[in-house]
Structure formats: C-alpha cells, structure tokens
Amino acid sequence: MTSTGPFLVAGANRPLGALIALDLAARGRKVVATRRHPNPELDAHLRDAGIEIAPLDLTDLPAVRALAPEVSGVVLTPILSISGPAAHVFSEGGVSRGVVFSSNNVGIVGADPVYDRLRAAEKDVLESAPGWAILRPTMIYGYPGDGNLSKLLQLLAKLPVFPRLGSGHASQQPIHVEDLARLAAALVSNDWDATGILAVGGPQTLSHRDLIATARRASGHSSIDIPIPLGPVRALVSLVSAFGLKLPLSPAQLARVNLDKAAIDPAEIPAHLRPRITPEDGLTRLARLLEL
C-alpha cells in the first residue's frame, strides 16, 4: 500500500460503484474504477470525471495481490461473500483502509446458507483487516434494476389490485444508493473514521404497508392492496419448489416477509454524512428514471 496511490473502487460498472468513484473524485482524490465487464454509459461518465478505468476480476487473486502495493485504499462493492477473498488479499498486501458490503439481514435472519456465508466472511475481515469497515446496508434502491423497489414501482404501475403479502406491519428502512455511496466514500477517505460492522439505513422507517403506499404515490397510478395470508402461499411455494420449479419468491424469502428490516444496531453516523434522501423523494426520482 502507498499513501499517495489512488483509491480503487471495484464494481464500477454498477451504479453503487460508479457513484462511490465519482464521490471520491469530487473530493479531489485520484481514483481507479475497476470492473469485470464494461458499461459504456457509466464508463464515459467516469472518464469525464477524470477517473481511470481498468479491468479487474476480484476472483483473480494474483491480480489483486499485484495491485495491493499500488493503492491507498479500496472499496469492494460486490457482496462480501464474493469479495471476501480479495479483501483478505488486499489486507495481507498492506492495504489498511478498505470498505466492503454485507447485509443488514445478517443481523435479522437466523441459520441460512446465504447469510451464514456472509457471517463467515465478516468474521474473516474483522480478524484479518481490523482497520476496515463492513457496511451492512438495509434495502438498497434508487436505480432501475435495483431488484427491490424498482420492481415494486413497476408492479404498482401495472396492477389495479396489488397483492400484499403478510401483515404489512414489518418495518422497512430503505437506503438510497446515493446516500450509501457517500458513506462508503467517506469511510475509505477517513472523513468518517469508523471501522468494523456498521449497519446503515435511510432517514425514515416505514411499515411495509406505508412503503407500498409511498411507492404508489410515486408511481402516479391508483391501485388498492389486497392482503394475502402467508400460510397458504408458503404451502404452495414449498410444494412447487419440491418439484424443482422456480417461482418469483423462494420459501426463504417468504419466511422473511414479516420480519422487521430496519437497521439492527445502527452505526453512529456523523451529522454531515447522515442519509437524507427520504423514501418519498427517492421513489419519486426512481419512478421518473423508470418513465412510469
């Protein structure tokens, strides 16, 4: 690691990585944005900001090891169960400041193969890279294809009757991708001097029912909710899954429907960095991006 080297942001072909790279560049930092696959639109935006773009596959650990002495800090945006080995190699190579991404669900969900892998990866980073930060964001949204609220907005725009699973009372605290990117950039640049596990969520906590209502207003379409009891749906999904058929919801996802998903043991974030994009604002902006 060199204190005068650039910051490396991996996964810059996706909105989160690109936004982190742009935030660091706006702070006057030299940035190398890496990705496995080009994204012409994002690549052009990054180059216009003076950001160097380079290919990197985080599973190519010899390549990661060769880069470690050249950078002053790293942000690895792929989920920690994928980026964990690279984090370990960067740390071994002398990179004392890094940021990786886990999930708030690690603190919510019990035994589960996906979150067990994340817990193991978190443990490895905590032990091997004590100066690094592990961000545990709540549900991330704010760009088409986010896999969460963009799908909800599109469904609400199409369906006059929306089937709402569960009680509707479970808490949600979605965090906008721009707010999350700002936190990651602040951490790697030491504007936010924090290490270890940091659970972060958006500025407002809503019930699942209220989040749907907020998304409905943002979509500009009228619809009504029909509550769907979980019991029969779980039985049907389990039966269909037993035959090897794939459905939009898995049994594991259904098991989490009524769990509160606000940030667990939220981090103390400096006032000037606290997330500020409310669900109302963020979803309205997202609806415009989706051209609803």
Side-chain angles (χ1 to χ4, degrees):
M1 170 182 160
T2 171
S3 59
T4 59
F7 288 97
L8 183 147
V9 180
N13 59 324
R14 301 283 293 164
L16 176 59
L19 286 168
I20 295 168
L22 290 166
D23 190 296
L24 287 168
R27 295 166 183 261
R29 308 295 184 127
K30 186 177 179 182
V31 183
V32 175
T34 72
R35 72 286 191 270
R36 285 195 303 169
H37 306 293
N39 181 320
E41 183 178 353
L42 286 179
D43 285 357
H45 196 24
L46 293 170
R47 288 194 179 97
D48 287 345
I51 295 169
E52 179 184 347
I53 300 173
L56 178 64
D57 183 343
L58 289 180
T59 64
D60 183 354
L61 298 184
V64 171
R65 187 171 289 107
L67 281 171
E70 307 299 326
V71 299
S72 59
V74 300
V75 183
L76 310 180
T77 62
I79 192 72
L80 186 54
S81 50
I82 295 171
S83 66
H88 192 105
V89 170
F90 271 122
S91 178
E92 283 185 335
V95 179
S96 60
R97 194 60 173 165
V99 181
V100 291
F101 290 83
S102 183
S103 168
N104 185 61
N105 282 350
V106 171
I108 297 171
V109 179
D112 177 277
V114 171
Y115 297 109
D116 288 346
R117 286 194 294 272
L118 275 176
R119 277 185 276 268
E122 286 184 350
K123 183 174 182 291
D124 182 67
V125 171
L126 290 171
E127 292 175 352
S128 64
W132 285 43
I134 302 170
L135 280 170
R136 278 186 179 180
T138 54
M139 179 168 54
I140 306 168
Y141 77 107
Y143 57 93
D146 60 27
N148 296 307
L149 295 184
S150 59
K151 287 184 178 179
L152 175 62
L153 284 168
Q154 289 167 329
L155 285 173
L156 289 169
K158 292 177 182 177
L159 302 177
V161 177
F162 181 78
R164 173 175 50 79
L165 293 174
S167 68
H169 301 308
S171 61
Q172 302 277 354
Q173 192 184 0
I175 184 166
H176 196 277
V177 65
E178 291 179 15
D179 282 332
L180 184 58
R182 190 172 68 256
L183 293 177
L187 282 165
V188 77
S189 62
N190 282 317
D191 186 20
W192 180 14
D193 185 15
T195 61
I197 293 173
L198 304 167
V200 295
Q204 187 178 2
T205 300
L206 302 172
S207 70
H208 187 207
R209 179 185 296 170
D210 287 342
L211 182 60
I212 292 172
T214 303
R216 180 180 293 110
R217 290 193 297 273
S219 75
H221 295 265
S222 298
S223 64
I224 59 173
D225 289 356
I226 298 295
I228 306 296
L230 278 177
V233 177
R234 283 189 184 125
L236 177 61
V237 169
S238 296
L239 178 63
V240 172
S241 298
F243 287 96
L245 301 177
K246 290 187 177 181
L247 291 173
L249 283 174
S250 69
Q253 289 172 314
L254 284 172
R256 299 195 293 268
V257 166
N258 280 335
L259 296 179
D260 289 329
K261 299 179 184 67
I264 302 296
D265 297 325
E268 290 291 334
I269 303 173
H272 70 290
L273 294 172
R274 288 173 191 158
R276 51 180 179 254
I277 300 175
T278 65
E280 190 87 40
D281 180 24
L283 287 167
T284 300
R285 289 161 57 177
L286 180 54
R288 287 199 295 267
L289 288 174
L290 293 169
E291 299 181 345
L292 298 180

